[in-house]
Amino acid sequence: FAARTSTPAAPPRARPPPPRAAPRLESAAMTRSSVLADALKKMSNAEKRGRKQVLLRPVSRVVIKFLQVMQKHGYIGEFELVDDHRAGKIVVELIGRINKCGVINPRFDVPLRDIEKYVNNLLPSRQFGFIILTTTFGIMDHEEARRKHTGGKVLGFVY
């Protein structure tokens, strides 16, 4: 071992303070871009978690009509409107049939001759699933739109 020289030893370093957590902002909620998209995403997530019911809010006429089409085809059970003197709520009974549902944004114009293209692009098979359109005759699935010989704007899909 070599002999130490007479240089003074450096003082021990002080430990740096532990990192602080970022300050939490109170109620920094994002603005709602689409009521329908939020409702469908909530239903899809609740379905994946195995829930029997889901609470959707706020209520809009488009959401109610979309749910009626889903109910007509057996994807959801009963749903009930709850009036809370604000934007309203909907309680939906889930029956475990939704694999995926979503919104198509922007709401593209779909002429009658192009419905088949959207069916091929959005649905996994021709045997099941529905594209939901808003037409001059109201909100309906792609098969009913074909029967009524009308096109419209695509709202979303469910399968």
Side-chain angles (χ1 to χ4, degrees), residues 138-156:
I139 293 176
M140 60 185 72
D141 61 82
H142 69 278
E143 291 175 354
E144 188 177 348
R146 247 192 231 134
R147 283 194 301 271
K148 290 189 176 180
H149 205 72
T150 185
K153 292 182 181 284
V154 65
L155 279 179

Side-chain angles (χ1 to χ4, degrees), residues 60-155:
S60 78
R61 289 185 307 194
V62 174
V63 171
I64 292 170
K65 295 290 186 186
F66 202 101
L67 291 175
Q68 286 173 345
V69 173
M70 289 175 72
Q71 186 180 34
K72 181 175 90 173
H73 293 292
Y75 285 98
I76 59 173
E78 296 292 318
F79 63 91
E80 178 184 353
L81 285 163
V82 179
D83 183 25
D84 58 357
H85 299 294
R86 290 175 185 82
K89 297 175 185 174
I90 303 176
V91 178
V92 180
E93 301 288 330
L94 299 174
I95 56 175
R97 289 236 9 240
I98 300 173
N99 293 315
K100 190 171 185 183
C101 59
V103 171
I104 303 302
N105 217 356
R107 294 179 178 175
F108 293 113
D109 284 324
V110 183
L112 180 64
R113 66 181 179 276
D114 290 349
I115 288 178
E116 193 60 36
K117 291 178 190 171
Y118 279 88
V119 169
N120 290 337
N121 288 340
L122 295 173
L123 301 180
S125 168
R126 294 181 67 172
Q127 280 81 24
F128 68 97
F130 295 94
I131 293 176
I132 291 145
L133 306 166
T134 178
T135 68
T136 54
F137 298 107
I139 293 176
M140 60 185 72
D141 61 82
H142 69 278
E143 291 175 354
E144 188 177 348
R146 247 192 231 134
R147 283 194 301 271
K148 290 189 176 180
H149 205 72
T150 185
K153 292 182 181 284
V154 65
L155 279 179

Side-chain angles (χ1 to χ4, degrees), residues 5-81:
T5 58
S6 63
T7 56
R13 278 195 179 169
R15 276 199 178 146
R20 283 193 186 162
R24 291 201 165 221
L25 299 175
E26 293 298 317
S27 70
M30 294 287 292
T31 56
R32 211 177 279 274
S33 61
S34 170
V35 173
L36 180 62
D38 288 351
L40 293 182
K41 182 57 83 174
K42 231 177 178 183
M43 281 190 349
S44 183
N45 289 341
E47 189 82 69
K48 287 177 190 170
R49 298 269 302 136
R51 303 269 196 258
K52 297 292 177 205
Q53 286 184 334
V54 65
L55 180 72
L56 307 177
R57 44 178 271 275
V59 175
S60 78
R61 289 185 307 194
V62 174
V63 171
I64 292 170
K65 295 290 186 186
F66 202 101
L67 291 175
Q68 286 173 345
V69 173
M70 289 175 72
Q71 186 180 34
K72 181 175 90 173
H73 293 292
Y75 285 98
I76 59 173
E78 296 292 318
F79 63 91
E80 178 184 353
L81 285 163

